[in-house]
Amino acid sequence: MQRLFAQASDWIEHRTGLPSAVRHFLFEDIPASSGWPQVFGSVALFLFLVQALTGILLSFDYAPTPGDAYSSVSYILRKVAGGRMIHGLHHWGASFIVVVVFLHMAQVFIYGAYKKPRETTWIAGAALLLITLAFGLTGYLLPWDNRAYWGTMVTTQIIATAPVLGPYLTTLIGATNGIGVLTFSRFYALHTLLLPASTALLITIHVYLVRRHGITPRPDDIAEKQKFYPRQAFRDVLAVFIAFVMLFAAAALIDVPLERLADPTDTSYIPRPEWYFLFLFQLLKLFQGSLEPIGTVVLPGIAVAALFVLPFVHGRHLKFLDRRLASAGVVLLVFAFWGALTATAITTSPRQNRPTLVPPEAVEWAQISPEQIAGVGYFRSSHCDSCHNLLTGNPKPGPNLASSDVHHSKEWLIQHFRNPEKMKTRDAAPDNHLSIPQLNALSLFISGLKPDSASLMQTISPDYIAAAQTYVVGACASCHKVNGIGGGVGPSLNGLSGRRSKEWIKAHFAAPQQLSPGSIMPPYHFSPPEENRLIAYLLSLPD
Amino acid sequence: MSQATENHASSGLERRNFIRAMIYTLTSLIGGTLAASVGTYLFGTPQVETDSWADAGDVSELQPGSPQLITFQRSREDSWKIHNEKASAWVILNNDRKLTAFSPLCTHLGCAYNWQSDKHQFSCPCHGSIFSATGQVVSGPAGRPLDRYEVKLEGSRLWLGPIKNSQSA
C-alpha cells in the first residue's frame, strides 16, 4: 500500500511538481517569534473560500432578476434541503470576514509588518479590505426584500453625493433613475463576477508577497528560524477550526433575516445598513446640509487614502508607531471611535414601527379578493409581464398597468385576452388558455390595480396564489362571499377561523350534507396540498 | 547521548506527532462538515409539492378501446414558481370500463407519441418505439411501458394526479 502511494506520488511529482510545491509551502522558514497573532491571515483566507463555495452553491438556486430573486431566496431558505445552512454560512460568513480582516490588519499594524519592504503587501491587503466591504454592499441588494431595497437606496444616494465622480458612479451602478433592474443586474455582476475575480487575483498577489518577504519577526527575535509545519500550521488550523465552529453555530442557530418583498412605495420603512456600515450611517448625522459630503465622501476618502499611504509616510512622519504600544493605542482609538458611532447608531435609531419579517399569514393579503389574488398567478403564468409592468421596471411594449391613465372595463380586458386583434391595441396580447372564471379573475386583478396595491400584490406568497386559484377554479364565489364579493347562497367565508376548525372544513369539503344538512354544496376532492393551501387561506380571512 | 537528552527528544517527537494528528483531525472535521452540508444541499430533495390533482374534464362520451388525447389546465409547483399550464394525456377506456391515462411522452427519450388507429397502437416518431393500447412496449428502443397518471373519477369528471413512472420491463 505504502509502495503504491509512493509510486503515485512520484508519478504526480514527475508530471506536475505538486508534491514538492506543497512541501515547499509547508516547510517555509518563519521567525521563531511567530505565534498566535499571525493566524488571522489564514482564517481570512479560509472564510473567503467558504464564501466562494457557498456563493456558488446559492447561485445554483438563485434567480438573479428582481422579479424572481425574492421568491428564489425564500425557496432556498424554506424548501431546499440544507438551504438554510448554506445561506446562513454565506450571510454570517460575510460578517465574520469583516471582523477577521480587521483583526488581521490590526495585528499587521501593531507589529509594524507594513513597513519597508512590505508596503505592497499592505496595499494589496488594504485593497482586499475595500473589496470585502464592496462584497457586503453589493450582496445586500440581492435578496430583494425591503431591507435590501431601502438599504441600497441610501447607499446609492450617498454615492451620488461624491464631488465630481457622483454622477459617473451613479451611471456605472445603474441607479440613474432610482433602483431598478439595471442596478440589480450591475450589483449582481459585481458581486459574482468582478469582485470574486479581483479577490482571487489580489489574494494571489498578497500571499505571493507574504511568501517573498516572509513573516515579520519581532525586533528582538534572534533565534533560529523554524518551519511553518507543523507548529504554526497547527495554530492556523486550530484558529480556522474555532472560526468555523462559530460560523457554523451562527448559521445553524440564527435565522437569516428575510423581510417583505422590496416595496418602493413603503414610506414607513426605516432603512438600515449592515452593522459594519452603521458607523458611516451615524457619521452622516453629524454633517447636515451643505456639510454632508464631508461625512459621505471626504472623511471616508481620507480614511481610505490614509490606509494606502501609511507605509510611505511612516518612516519620516510617524516615528512614534515604531513602538508597539503606541500602534496598539492607535488601533484602540480607531476601534473606540468606530464602536461609539456604531453603538450610537444602534441605540438612537427608531425601531421599525411594525414587524418587518414576513408573518406566516400576512393579513394585508387577506383584504384582497380571492379573484384578484388568483389573477396575480394568471398574470404571471400567462406571461403578461413580458409586455406589461405593474408599477416600475424597464420600459415594455404594453402600458404600465398600475399607473396607466387608461383604465379599461373588465369586459374590454376579457376581449383583449381572448381576441386581441379586434381590440384597439398596438400590440396584441398573445393567445392564452384560460377558462372564463380564470379570465374573469385576471381582468378583476388588472382593472383593480392601483399603484399602492400593485406592490402589495407582488408580495403574495405562491401558496396563497395557488389557494386563490383553487377557489376560482372551484367556483366557490358562486355561492360564498369573501370581503363582500360573491354569491349569497352560502355563508360568507370571512371570519371562518372563528367558527370552524381545519378538520371541520376538511370533512365538509368531502361530504357537505353530513355536516350541514340541506346544503346544496357539492363535495370537493382536492389533493392534500391543494386542500391544505385552500384551508390555510380561508382560515386567514379577516372577520 | 545522555538519558535526559533522549527523554527530551522523545517527548519532542511525541508532541510533534500529537500536533500532526490534531492538524489532520481538525482539517477532516471542517472538510467533513462542509462536505456534508454541500452534499445535503446538492442532492437533498426540495420540499416541493408534486402530487397536485387537476380536473381533466368530462369523460362520459369516451368510447371503449379508442384512446383520446385530452388537454387540461393544471397548476404545477416548479421550485419557486407555480405554473398554471396546459397539459395533456392519452386517456383510454378499457372494455371492463376501467380508465387509464398515459403521460403523453415516450418512455425512451421523451418525444410525444401518436395513436395509429389502423394498427391500434401508439407509435413514437423519434426512434420508432411502438406501444400497445395498454401501454406495453411492442417494439423499438423504449425500455419500459408508458407512464400513467394517477386517476380518479368524480361522477363523469376525470381528475388526473401525478404521473407515476412505470417499472422497467
Side-chain angles (χ1 to χ4, degrees):
Chain A
M1 186 67 193
Q2 217 162 10
R3 221 178 106 234
L4 202 69
F5 184 74
Q7 273 178 346
S9 175
D10 281 349
W11 193 93
I12 297 170
E13 174 65 38
H14 191 57
R15 273 131 194 108
T16 65
L18 197 65
S20 60
V22 171
R23 269 197 297 279
H24 183 67
F25 190 83
L26 287 176
F27 293 102
E28 177 199 8
D29 281 329
I30 59 167
S33 55
S34 310
W36 290 105
Q38 278 78 16
V39 298
F40 295 114
S42 299
V43 179
L45 177 61
F46 168 75
L47 290 172
F48 270 118
L49 292 175
V50 171
Q51 290 303 92
L53 174 73
T54 50
I56 290 169
L57 288 174
L58 289 175
S59 74
F60 281 11
D61 291 79
Y62 174 72
T65 63
D68 280 336
Y70 180 81
S71 318
S72 61
V73 172
S74 172
Y75 165 78
I76 290 170
L77 284 173
R78 289 169 189 157
K79 304 224 165 161
V80 174
R84 194 176 153 272
M85 171 55 71
I86 298 295
H87 191 270
L89 288 174
H90 198 71
H91 179 90
W92 300 118
S95 289
F96 272 63
I97 283 195
V98 172
V99 173
V100 171
V101 163
F102 271 108
L103 288 174
H104 181 45
M105 289 189 86
Q107 180 268 320
V108 168
F109 181 77
I110 293 169
Y111 280 65
Y114 57 88
K115 292 175 203 168
K116 185 182 166 188
R118 298 183 176 84
E119 297 95 328
T120 45
T121 321
W122 170 266
I123 287 172
L128 277 168
L129 167 74
L130 295 184
I131 286 183
T132 307
L133 297 176
F135 263 122
L137 203 73
T138 48
Y140 200 68
L141 180 65
L142 302 184
W144 200 248
D145 57 355
N146 246 354
R147 181 172 167 270
Y149 181 89
W150 290 103
T152 307
M153 176 64 89
V154 176
T155 312
T156 54
Q157 300 291 329
I158 290 177
I159 290 171
T161 63
V164 189
L165 288 178
Y168 297 105
L169 289 174
T170 307
T171 308
L172 204 62
I173 58 169
T176 318
N177 301 313
I179 295 176
V181 283
L182 196 59
T183 329
F184 186 92
S185 289
R186 302 244 164 140
F187 272 49
Y188 179 72
L190 286 171
H191 192 81
T192 60
L193 297 171
L194 190 63
L195 293 177
S198 314
T199 308
L201 183 68
L202 278 167
I203 287 181
T204 310
I205 293 172
H206 192 71
V207 172
Y208 162 75
L209 289 171
V210 170
R211 293 298 310 251
R212 184 181 166 81
H213 298 302
I215 289 175
T216 315
R218 255 197 343 236
D220 57 351
D221 180 8
I222 48 161
E224 196 187 334
K225 291 204 166 199
Q226 53 170 296
K227 300 288 178 199
F228 173 75
Y229 185 87
R231 288 181 72 179
Q232 186 62 26
F234 168 69
R235 291 188 191 106
D236 281 18
V237 168
L238 185 59
V240 163
F241 182 75
I242 292 168
F244 180 66
V245 169
M246 287 166 69
L247 175 59
F248 196 82
L253 302 175
I254 314 172
D255 277 328
V256 173
L258 183 68
E259 299 185 358
R260 294 156 50 85
L261 178 75
D263 179 1
T265 63
D266 186 350
T267 49
S268 65
Y269 192 81
I270 303 163
R272 208 160 278 132
E274 197 58 285
W275 64 268
Y276 41 84
F277 287 122
L278 271 177
F279 76 100
L280 206 56
F281 187 71
Q282 187 63 25
L283 195 65
L284 300 190
K285 293 184 187 167
L286 304 177
F287 299 96
Q288 308 275 334
S290 59
L291 293 179
E292 200 174 46
I294 296 179
T296 55
V297 182
V298 177
L299 284 182
I302 290 174
V304 170
L307 213 55
F308 280 94
V309 300
L310 172 76
F312 304 106
V313 297
H314 169 260
R316 266 178 300 170
H317 305 287
L318 303 170
K319 256 309 192 215
F320 72 99
L321 288 181
D322 279 342
R323 292 194 304 276
R324 198 182 285 186
L325 203 62
S327 305
V330 171
V331 169
L332 268 179
L333 211 66
V334 170
F335 274 112
F337 181 64
W338 173 85
L341 282 174
T342 307
T344 320
I346 292 171
T347 50
T348 58
S349 294
R351 293 188 176 282
Q352 298 288 357
N353 50 12
R354 59 182 161 71
T356 52
L357 294 180
V358 182
E361 291 163 2
V363 284
E364 284 160 283
W365 307 335
Q367 308 288 348
I368 305 171
S369 80
E371 285 79 8
Q372 282 176 297
I373 296 179
V376 181
Y378 300 132
F379 182 81
R380 289 177 193 157
S381 63
S382 303
H383 305 293
C384 305
D385 51 358
S386 312
C387 289
H388 295 282
N389 281 319
L390 280 187
L391 192 62
T392 52
N394 270 353
K396 288 183 181 168
N400 184 324
L401 296 175
S403 59
S404 170
D405 297 331
V406 187
H407 282 286
H408 293 292
S409 65
K410 273 194 300 172
E411 293 69 30
W412 189 95
L413 286 168
I414 290 182
Q415 284 303 313
H416 174 60
F417 305 144
R418 301 181 77 187
N419 203 353
E421 289 80 10
K422 278 192 181 170
M423 308 307 294
K424 287 180 185 169
T425 47
R426 195 158 42 86
D427 302 290
D431 191 17
N432 58 63
H433 303 282
L434 300 181
S435 66
I436 294 285
Q438 291 170 328
L439 286 173
N440 257 327
L442 181 56
S443 67
L444 262 170
F445 160 63
I446 290 171
S447 61
L449 271 176
K450 292 193 184 78
D452 56 338
S453 64
S455 49
L456 179 63
M457 293 290 190
Q458 294 176 52
T459 66
I460 302 174
S461 83
D463 279 354
Y464 269 53
I465 292 174
Q469 288 182 330
T470 309
Y471 186 90
V472 165
V473 174
C476 309
S478 316
C479 298
H480 294 280
K481 274 193 172 61
V482 165
N483 302 330
I485 299 172
V489 177
S492 163
L493 297 174
N494 283 79
L496 190 65
S497 58
R499 309 197 298 270
R500 304 293 183 199
S501 68
K502 186 180 173 184
E503 289 66 36
W504 188 94
I505 301 172
K506 214 174 229 184
H508 193 264
F509 278 143
Q513 285 73 24
Q514 278 185 15
L515 292 159
S516 311
S519 166
I520 59 163
M521 178 163 154
Y524 282 88
H525 297 287
F526 302 110
S527 68
E530 231 172 10
E531 191 170 64
N532 287 337
R533 281 196 291 250
L534 181 59
I535 293 176
Y537 169 68
L538 292 176
L539 289 175
S540 74
L541 292 171
D543 289 343
Chain B
M1 197 186 285
S2 74
Q3 187 68 37
T5 329
E6 213 167 275
N7 279 349
H8 186 71
S10 96
S11 83
L13 192 67
E14 266 174 36
R15 189 179 154 79
R16 223 176 143 78
N17 283 339
F18 171 75
I19 287 176
R20 274 190 193 154
M22 282 302 284
I23 289 176
Y24 293 136
T25 311
L26 295 179
T27 318
S28 311
L29 277 172
I30 296 171
T33 316
L34 277 177
S37 306
V38 172
T40 312
Y41 185 85
L42 288 179
F43 303 109
T45 317
Q47 298 163 13
V48 174
E49 304 287 3
T50 50
D51 59 339
S52 67
W53 287 78
D55 182 355
D58 194 326
V59 287
S60 54
E61 303 289 309
L62 206 64
Q63 293 304 312
S66 172
Q68 196 183 331
L69 184 66
I70 58 161
T71 57
F72 59 100
Q73 201 76 21
R74 71 169 172 198
S75 88
R76 179 171 58 87
E77 195 169 330
D78 176 14
S79 302
W80 57 85
K81 285 196 167 229
I82 292 181
H83 299 290
N84 203 303
E85 61 189 9
K86 205 173 80 168
S88 55
W90 280 99
V91 181
I92 184 163
L93 188 63
N94 297 347
N95 289 330
D96 52 359
R97 309 293 301 170
K98 202 177 153 230
L99 255 176
T100 310
F102 295 115
S103 152
L105 303 180
C106 176
T107 52
H108 176 221
L109 291 173
C111 291
Y113 56 83
N114 303 306
W115 173 250
Q116 294 178 315
S117 51
D118 52 337
K119 296 182 182 161
H120 205 71
Q121 64 187 23
F122 292 110
S123 137
C124 179
C126 286
H127 305 93
S129 290
I130 304 287
F131 302 90
S132 70
T134 56
Q136 299 303 314
V137 180
V138 175
S139 64
R144 56 192 176 83
L146 292 174
D147 296 329
R148 298 165 182 225
Y149 282 94
E150 281 190 36
V151 292
K152 62 183 175 189
L153 272 173
E154 283 299 329
S156 63
R157 298 200 76 80
L158 173 67
W159 285 74
L160 295 182
I163 295 171
K164 292 286 173 208
N165 274 5
S166 63
Q167 295 304 311
S168 295

